[in-house]
Amino acid sequence: MNVLFIHPHGSNWMPGMQDITTIFNVMPPLGILSIAAWLEKHQVPVEIIDCYATPLTQQELVNEVLRRKPDVVAFSCTTSSFLEGNRIAEAIKAADSGIITVFGGAHACTMGAPLLDRFPAIDCLVLGEGEQTMLELVQAGFQGLASIPGVAYRDSNGQAAQSAPRELIANLDELPFPAYHLLPGFPQKYKLPLFSSPTAPNSSIISSRGCPYQCSYCDRSVFSRGFRFNSPEYILEHVAMLQRDYGIRHVFFYDDLFTFDRKRVAHFCELKEKMGLQVTYNCIARLEHVDQELLSLLKGSGCWQVNFGIESGDPEILKKHRKFYGLDEVGRKLQMVKDAGMRVKGLFMVGLPGEDEAAIRRTIDYALSLPLDEINVTKFTPFPGAPVFKTLEQFGRFNEDWELMNCMNFVFIPNGMTKQQLEDLYNEFIRRFYRRSRIHWGYTKMIWQSPHSVLDFLKNLPAILKFERKQKW
């Protein structure tokens, strides 16, 4: 069977405004690429259409699908892209009802079999990790679905049903490297966020799956709460392949917890430094993992920037939503990263359940007190698989509009607040952080530290200025 993967773009911007996200950030769809590589390893013909890098209208996309004549079209969707994926599936079914449509990704895994009752254009769902499940579905010709673990399907009476859970892949090193070669224009069409890498071309890697922590806002429905990872040797081979085959000079380890297993990270850093692999990298870390020895290892092996999820500057809010880490310690740890010679990025949320204006202002003031080079502020979005989702109505008003659930829209309003209040505080957060001379000077230095970002910024300056004029920053 021929399989065509589609990665729908979804509604990933703010209503009524031009989407400029692709100016700043287009990452390869690593989940799809891993499944595709596993299918190719077992001689299954595979193609990919990534709507982020190659935007198409719905009709253009359907025409392209029909031209390629696949037996199966598989969609990987987030919550915000799910309805767009379904509309594409409906159009494909209308044009050729014989094409099998399969959905996977976070939204399908969270919602499960009941989605099939509401969306008849979808033939089945892949629940959990997709590599082996997709292979077995193809090898079985999509027959006998009840016997294939990790599948939601319709039974002989047309009712939604679900097979046994799929066991997680124990050894991730058994998987081939993602099938980057299936992405037309890779790596030129793909880029990390502006000013987040010193060189280009660049790309992203995920070297682990799962997370043992239990933050209230995180959906762990695909990879569960365990922690599995690639070996340091595998990771280095992966990076070396990207450099050799595609000229990649910088990678972002997009793992939730790159630094969780101390032995793995230390061995990776030592091996990378020893082999002299000239590829720099960014990673995401937790503050409780940071110490001088780790920072020395990261810097020596080419780490350029470390990202930290800080989320809030209000201790009571933090205690409600994640493992608490003393706020007094945060600044000291971040300064250690800076002193070791790496950039620091802080990740924050606005609009968490239990927040009020005073709590958000505490977060803003706190963020401004920290030695951060950059921040990313998201609008709290309660995803269906997150623990907080079950009790959400106790803490505020929720507009469950899937296409707006992309961390760029306030779909949840905490009790005692208004949407306009949240928007104003969000804009104030961005404005106050970035309109400081220290931050301006930091970006000025990017002319030398990240010259390709400066060129991208100047090339897209008209679109950026047009967006800027519409903001209240």
Side-chain angles (χ1 to χ4, degrees):
M1 302 186 84
N2 298 319
V3 178
L4 172 62
F5 285 94
I6 294 180
H7 186 214
H9 189 285
S11 174
N12 284 289
W13 200 238
M14 292 168 279
M17 301 190 67
Q18 180 192 359
D19 185 346
I20 63 169
T21 51
T22 53
I23 295 173
F24 300 106
N25 184 15
V26 183
M27 293 193 189
L30 293 172
I32 287 176
L33 296 183
S34 181
I35 298 171
W38 187 247
L39 294 181
E40 281 196 324
K41 182 179 179 179
H42 293 84
Q43 289 76 54
V44 177
V46 182
E47 292 183 281
I48 296 173
I49 298 176
D50 180 13
C51 299
Y52 282 79
T54 308
L56 298 169
T57 66
Q58 180 174 294
Q59 190 55 56
E60 288 170 339
L61 185 54
V62 172
N63 291 343
E64 186 62 21
V65 170
L66 296 176
R67 184 186 70 79
R68 300 189 190 205
K69 299 180 180 178
D71 300 298
V72 181
V73 177
F75 297 80
S76 179
C77 297
T78 61
T79 296
S80 66
S81 67
F82 175 80
L83 292 177
E84 180 181 314
N86 180 66
R87 287 192 292 270
I88 297 167
E90 288 176 336
I92 290 171
K93 285 288 194 181
D96 184 347
S97 61
I99 294 176
I100 297 169
T101 54
V102 186
F103 275 58
H107 194 70
C109 292
T110 298
M111 305 302 288
L115 280 178
L116 299 176
D117 291 329
R118 295 178 57 190
F119 300 97
I122 302 173
D123 291 317
C124 68
L125 308 175
V126 169
L127 307 177
E129 289 179 311
E131 286 87 358
Q132 188 61 22
T133 303
M134 272 299 295
L135 177 62
E136 291 178 19
L137 285 169
V138 170
Q139 290 175 334
F142 284 78
Q143 301 297 311
L145 302 189
S147 65
I148 299 174
V151 178
Y153 61 96
R154 293 186 185 86
D155 63 20
S156 56
N157 297 316
Q159 300 299 307
Q162 197 163 309
S163 66
R166 166 75 57 182
E167 287 189 14
L168 297 172
I169 298 168
N171 181 8
L172 295 181
D173 283 4
E174 293 177 352
L175 297 175
F177 299 138
Y180 297 97
H181 63 277
L182 293 176
L183 297 177
F186 180 83
Q188 286 73 25
K189 284 188 176 183
Y190 294 84
K191 51 195 172 185
L192 297 176
L194 278 178
F195 304 112
S196 68
S197 65
T199 52
N202 46 53
S203 189
S204 52
I205 291 175
I206 295 177
S207 69
S208 62
R209 294 181 179 182
C211 175
Y213 294 102
Q214 297 187 30
C215 299
S216 73
Y217 41 77
C218 283
D219 180 351
R220 299 294 177 201
S221 55
V222 179
F223 297 138
S224 187
R225 295 193 183 281
F227 186 72
R228 296 160 295 135
F229 51 84
N230 292 120
S231 67
E233 292 81 4
Y234 180 100
I235 302 169
L236 285 170
E237 287 180 26
H238 190 166
V239 175
M241 179 276 292
L242 286 171
Q243 183 190 52
R244 180 186 66 247
D245 295 353
Y246 301 102
I248 295 297
R249 301 170 66 194
H250 181 91
V251 297
F252 185 173
F253 288 105
Y254 225 67
D255 308 43
D256 289 329
L257 291 172
F258 182 72
T259 58
F260 180 74
D261 188 285
R262 180 59 171 263
K263 272 187 168 175
R264 178 183 87 123
V265 176
H267 191 37
F268 163 77
C269 292
E270 289 162 358
L271 285 177
K272 185 174 182 298
E273 190 171 5
K274 184 177 179 180
M275 72 184 291
L277 185 59
Q278 296 301 304
V279 178
T280 52
Y281 66 93
N282 296 356
C283 65
I284 301 172
R286 283 182 72 105
L287 288 155
E288 52 263 53
H289 301 160
V290 170
D291 58 43
Q292 205 59 59
E293 182 187 11
L294 177 67
L295 296 178
S296 178
L297 287 167
L298 291 174
K299 177 62 177 175
S301 62
C303 185
W304 190 74
Q305 177 174 293
V306 187
N307 295 5
F308 294 96
I310 300 168
E311 317 308 352
S312 172
D314 185 292
E316 295 308 312
I317 294 298
L318 283 174
K319 288 173 185 176
K320 290 176 183 175
H321 294 289
R322 57 169 292 169
K323 182 181 178 183
F324 182 67
Y325 188 77
L327 295 179
D328 293 340
E329 277 288 285
V330 173
R332 187 179 72 82
K333 292 284 184 110
L334 297 181
Q335 190 60 52
M336 287 172 61
V337 180
K338 295 276 290 179
D339 292 344
M342 293 171 283
R343 282 172 54 84
V344 186
K345 183 173 184 176
L347 313 177
F348 295 88
M349 286 187 195
V350 169
L352 285 158
E355 276 192 324
D356 56 17
E357 181 166 341
I360 295 171
R361 289 197 177 280
R362 277 192 284 274
T363 296
I364 296 172
D365 292 339
Y366 180 66
L368 268 60
S369 75
L370 297 173
L372 295 167
D373 296 293
E374 188 178 351
I375 60 172
N376 182 47
V377 185
T378 60
K379 298 174 179 179
F380 167 69
T381 300
F383 292 108
V388 75
F389 194 86
K390 297 172 185 174
T391 59
L392 201 61
E393 300 294 344
Q394 300 174 25
F395 300 100
R397 305 182 309 283
F398 176 38
N399 172 27
E400 193 175 351
D401 184 336
W402 291 347
E403 292 187 287
L404 296 180
M405 291 171 64
N406 52 29
C407 300
M408 286 301 299
N409 295 281
F410 284 115
V411 293
F412 173 78
I413 313 298
N415 287 330
M417 298 198 73
T418 66
K419 185 177 180 183
Q420 190 58 54
Q421 232 182 328
L422 290 172
E423 296 285 2
D424 291 344
L425 287 164
Y426 177 88
N427 290 334
E428 180 183 334
F429 197 163
I430 303 295
R431 181 180 66 249
R432 287 181 60 191
F433 183 88
Y434 282 105
R435 291 188 177 176
R436 293 181 293 163
S437 57
R438 178 176 73 80
I439 301 301
H440 290 171
W441 173 240
Y443 280 107
T444 300
K445 290 191 291 185
M446 284 294 169
I447 294 173
W448 299 276
Q449 294 179 347
S450 186
H452 68 283
S453 291
V454 175
L455 292 175
D456 270 352
F457 181 83
L458 294 174
K459 183 174 69 175
N460 294 286
L461 190 57
I464 293 169
L465 289 175
K466 186 176 180 182
F467 167 72
E468 178 78 10
R469 284 194 296 270
K470 291 184 177 181
Q471 298 306 293
K472 299 176 182 178
W473 297 348

